Amino acid sequence: LKRVLKSLILQKRYHRLKSGQFVSLEARAFQQLQRVLAQMEASERDLRDGRLVLPAVRNMKHLIGASILHLHADLLEKWFELKSGQGFRLDLPNSLESQLYPYQRTGIQFLKNLDAQGCHGILADEMGLGKTIQAIGYIATISDSRALIVAPASLLRNWEAELKRFLPGRPVHVVTGSQTSRLSELKYLAENTVTIVSYTTLRTDVRRHPVYDVVFFDEAQHLKNPQSQTVSQLRHLQAKRRFALTGTPLENRPRDIWSIFHVLFPELLPDLATFEKWSFDDMQQFIQPFLLRREKKDVLQDLPKKQIEHHYVELGPNQKRLYASYLAKLQLETLQHLDETKREDRLKLLAGLTRLRQICNDPGLFVEGYTGEATKRTRLLSLIAEKRAAGKRILIFSQYTQMLERIRSDLAQRHLPHFLLTGETPLEDRVALCDRFNDGEVDLFLISLKAGGTGLNLASADTVILFDSWWNPAVEQQAADRAHRLGQQSDVTVIKLLTRGTIEEKMTELQDRKAKMVDAVLTAPDSDALTVKELVHLVTTKEEQR
């Protein structure tokens, strides 16, 4: 049998028996078995005394599809338990159980079930559904174990606060300081400590960390580039169970999903080249048992509504003249000589688009000594007065920190108390600012779009103003979801300020088209990528496009 299997694995057309007789391997049954062996990437090394020994999880899909094979009942049972998310008893502390929504308990059950089957996976709930508390719930079930949380540096204190809130008796350690001191501290931590570390720090120290019982990778998009140093180094982290948390996995390309699983569960998928040849249906079906995704509309029917409004503003006379001149310059100097393959040309195009967008916001962002109008700023101030008079609590987002400083100056002149959070805000202050805002200390919070896009819970706000737009609609959704999340008691209004007849209008059209493709990963690869042609479309007229 071993020799016959070897001939099949080597895809021979016939096999010679000890008696000297030849057996054709081109018969239908042999060919069917040969296809199964090829799909499972079986090699001679996998043959042991006439038995074929292969990783079960990785190959169950092919095995179950092969009607010629009779599978062991335990193997089939494991596969269907994984697909249904059932099969492991969940016992949570009462103090935590009382804080959970039913779907969050199901999420913890999902993690425990993967654990029980010796598997790893991704919790991919939409932002605002409480992935943090579900991860903490899982950690609560392994009370005597060593756990690690890996997160962006901006979220370390947020994780520390949440762990102390929901697991008050569990020791928590945030890894900071010089390499010598942080590695020294790791040696003396209690066995049941929950350790929190940034991606950047772990990348440097990974080979010096102990073995963990479980690791959670928060904001797992940090693992989506298989060629990155982060992915290369973090694969050396030793952990018995590995889980990822991300709110936007379905915007990733198949390559991104493969890269995340390459860190979490390397034995699950084939090599990247083979994986990218799979059909999208095969990818989706195979990954499904290891990825749990819920949306707000499916699990929180009682969550207050989110309403999106577009408020259009006309450019003032001075702004219009500046906008027209910079647009003409961009079309003349850049578009006429644009070579899409040259990085320098693409950067020139992006720089020109940035200037146009800054003129829409406030030309004073880059025109020295500009004293003309900035109509969007004027509109923002009237909106703030209107919303505050109605008792609203407001978050204001911009991608330009200079713009936030100008808005801050306007608020100071009007003696309106507010908070400001940007990339320069010390990490330890961010959670404190959010807590003070949620406690009602002020009603206005200015936030940098990127610095505030993740990890902040500002559910006491009910109005979100996006002062300028971002290329990817998911980034704006992240900003809006700082308010539209668990704990929100009021309907949330998201206001996008747009200047009429400018690049901002076309960006909104582009975003709407992209948003329809956001269910992307396994149905529309590369849907979140912005092409040079789409960028050019933003600054050309319909006649020029024809």
Side-chain angles (χ1 to χ4, degrees):
L1 179 60
K2 182 177 180 179
R3 293 190 182 96
V4 173
L5 281 172
K6 179 179 176 181
S7 295
L8 286 168
I9 288 171
L10 296 175
Q11 298 193 346
K12 291 186 176 180
R13 297 173 61 186
Y14 61 87
H15 175 75
R16 184 173 181 171
L17 300 175
K18 284 183 178 179
S19 64
Q21 291 179 298
F22 288 92
V23 177
S24 170
L25 301 181
E26 294 183 325
R28 184 171 177 272
F30 280 129
Q31 286 185 331
Q32 199 172 357
L33 183 55
Q34 221 165 26
R35 279 196 299 274
V36 172
L37 293 171
Q39 284 178 325
M40 293 190 294
E41 300 174 50
S43 68
E44 290 182 70
R45 285 184 309 177
D46 300 320
L47 284 172
R48 300 178 191 174
D49 302 323
R51 293 178 300 131
L52 197 59
V53 181
L54 297 164
V57 169
R58 176 166 162 182
N59 291 290
M60 278 191 280
K61 170 178 175 284
H62 304 306
L63 290 168
I64 288 170
S67 58
I68 57 171
L69 297 179
H70 297 285
L71 298 186
H72 194 285
D74 287 350
L75 186 63
L76 276 172
E77 186 179 345
K78 280 191 176 186
W79 176 251
F80 291 118
E81 280 180 0
L82 280 172
K83 286 184 77 81
S84 64
Q86 313 253 332
F88 190 89
R89 177 177 170 77
L90 190 62
D91 188 17
L92 292 169
N94 291 333
S95 57
L96 184 62
E97 180 88 66
S98 62
Q99 303 287 328
L100 296 173
Y101 283 74
Y103 76 87
Q104 290 175 329
R105 196 178 192 283
T106 301
I108 300 169
Q109 172 76 64
F110 163 76
L111 298 173
K112 289 297 292 184
N113 193 60
L114 287 177
D115 182 352
Q117 303 296 350
C119 298
H120 321 271
I122 302 175
L123 180 59
D125 286 345
E126 188 179 2
M127 281 173 293
L129 291 183
K131 292 183 289 295
T132 300
I133 194 173
Q134 293 176 70
I136 292 173
Y138 171 89
I139 292 170
T141 67
I142 50 171
S143 55
D144 296 325
S145 301
R146 192 190 292 265
L148 178 69
I149 306 293
V150 188
S154 60
L155 301 184
L156 301 187
R157 298 300 173 185
N158 184 68
W159 270 99
E160 181 185 30
E162 294 295 281
L163 282 160
K164 288 180 177 178
R165 176 184 170 196
F166 293 114
L167 292 180
R170 193 77 174 263
V172 177
H173 176 71
V174 180
V175 179
T176 57
S178 68
Q179 186 177 42
T180 302
S181 66
R182 62 184 185 244
L183 292 177
S184 175
E185 289 170 354
L186 282 175
K187 294 178 183 177
Y188 301 104
L189 296 179
E191 285 295 317
N192 65 338
T193 298
V194 181
T195 305
I196 309 169
V197 66
S198 72
Y199 280 97
T200 305
T201 300
L202 182 61
R203 192 172 65 198
T204 304
D205 301 347
V206 65
R207 295 174 189 269
R208 309 280 293 277
H209 269 252
V211 177
Y212 293 95
D213 293 287
V214 64
V215 57
F216 280 94
F217 295 99
D218 193 17
E219 300 295 337
Q221 59 268 28
H222 284 76
L223 305 176
K224 73 178 185 179
N225 181 359
Q227 274 82 46
S228 71
Q229 279 295 310
T230 299
V231 168
S232 174
Q233 292 300 318
L234 266 54
R235 289 191 63 226
H236 297 289
L237 182 68
Q238 298 183 70
K240 297 173 185 174
R241 290 291 166 265
R242 297 179 291 276
F243 299 118
L245 307 174
T246 178
T248 54
L250 300 182
E251 293 171 82
N252 297 332
R253 298 164 296 176
R255 172 181 291 260
D256 301 339
I257 290 290
W258 182 90
S259 182
I260 293 172
F261 273 112
H262 194 49
V263 175
L264 299 180
F265 203 172
E267 61 270 37
L268 176 67
L269 299 177
D271 62 85
L272 179 58
T274 302
F275 181 67
E276 290 187 315
K277 290 176 184 174
W278 285 11
S279 74
F280 293 128
D281 283 345
D282 281 349
M283 290 181 190
Q284 202 167 33
Q285 287 179 6
F286 194 61
I287 288 170
Q288 178 196 351
F290 313 99
L291 187 151
L292 181 62
R293 169 78 169 175
R294 278 86 56 91
E295 297 182 355
K296 289 175 189 165
K297 62 183 176 64
D298 299 324
V299 297
L300 285 183
Q301 289 81 6
D302 56 345
L303 188 70
K305 295 178 182 177
K306 179 173 71 174
Q307 181 178 351
I308 299 176
E309 300 177 0
H310 291 178
H311 286 218
Y312 288 94
V313 180
E314 297 287 345
L315 289 177
N318 292 306
Q319 282 179 286
K320 275 187 179 177
R321 282 193 292 273
L322 270 172
Y323 189 89
S325 66
Y326 270 88
L327 177 59
K329 181 181 179 182
L330 177 64
Q331 291 173 330
L332 180 65
E333 296 180 3
T334 304
L335 296 190
Q336 285 190 9
H337 311 287
L338 180 66
D339 183 343
E340 295 182 18
T341 63
K342 290 185 178 178
R343 184 172 182 270
E344 184 181 350
D345 283 7
R346 295 198 303 271
L347 289 176
K348 281 183 181 178
L349 174 59
L350 285 170
L353 294 173
T354 298
R355 285 289 184 244
L356 293 177
R357 299 176 67 204
Q358 288 176 325
I359 292 170
C360 295
N361 277 1
D362 182 347
L365 288 173
F366 72 96
V367 179
E368 191 173 346
Y370 178 80
T371 57
E373 69 285 316
T375 53
K376 203 193 274 192
R377 255 172 85 183
T378 305
R379 176 62 179 139
L380 174 66
L381 292 171
S382 65
L383 259 178
I384 290 172
E386 173 190 323
K387 295 297 179 182
R388 289 186 76 246
K392 302 297 184 181
R393 311 196 68 233
I394 308 166
L395 309 180
I396 301 169
F397 286 90
S398 173
Q399 64 182 291
Y400 303 108
T401 54
Q402 281 182 287
M403 192 67 242
L404 292 174
E405 289 293 348
R406 286 172 172 260
I407 297 169
R408 188 180 197 185
S409 176
D410 292 336
L411 298 178
Q413 287 178 20
R414 288 157 179 77
H415 305 290
L416 296 176
H418 58 275
F419 290 147
L420 172 69
L421 190 154
T422 70
E424 300 299 315
T425 306
L427 301 180
E428 58 271 17
D429 292 347
R430 297 185 181 197
V431 174
L433 281 175
C434 293
D435 289 343
R436 289 167 63 191
F437 179 84
N438 287 330
D439 289 341
E441 187 174 327
V442 299
D443 294 328
L444 289 167
F445 205 150
L446 310 181
I447 306 173
S448 162
L449 190 62
K450 285 199 169 181
T454 56
L456 305 181
N457 186 343
L458 296 165
S460 65
D462 50 25
T463 303
V464 178
I465 300 176
L466 300 173
F467 192 80
D468 40 63
S469 299
W470 188 244
W471 308 109
N472 187 346
V475 175
E476 292 185 357
Q477 182 180 326
Q478 287 177 341
D481 284 347
R482 297 312 102 211
H484 192 244
R485 59 195 300 116
L486 288 180
Q488 180 56 259
Q489 302 298 317
S490 307
D491 289 351
V492 174
T493 301
V494 180
I495 299 171
K496 296 179 68 171
L497 286 178
L498 304 166
T499 45
R500 198 179 294 281
T502 71
I503 184 177
E504 290 190 330
E505 269 196 306
K506 288 189 175 181
M507 279 183 66
T508 301
E509 294 170 7
L510 177 62
Q511 283 181 333
D512 290 343
R513 190 166 75 251
K514 291 282 182 188
K516 291 175 184 174
M517 300 160 67
V518 149
D519 288 331
V521 71
L522 305 176
T523 55
D526 296 328
S527 67
D528 62 338
L530 204 62
T531 66
V532 173
K533 287 181 181 177
E534 286 174 318
L535 292 175
V536 171
H537 171 81
L538 296 174
V539 288
T540 52
T541 64
K542 290 182 180 177
E543 288 73 20
E544 290 169 325
Q545 290 161 24
R546 283 199 289 268

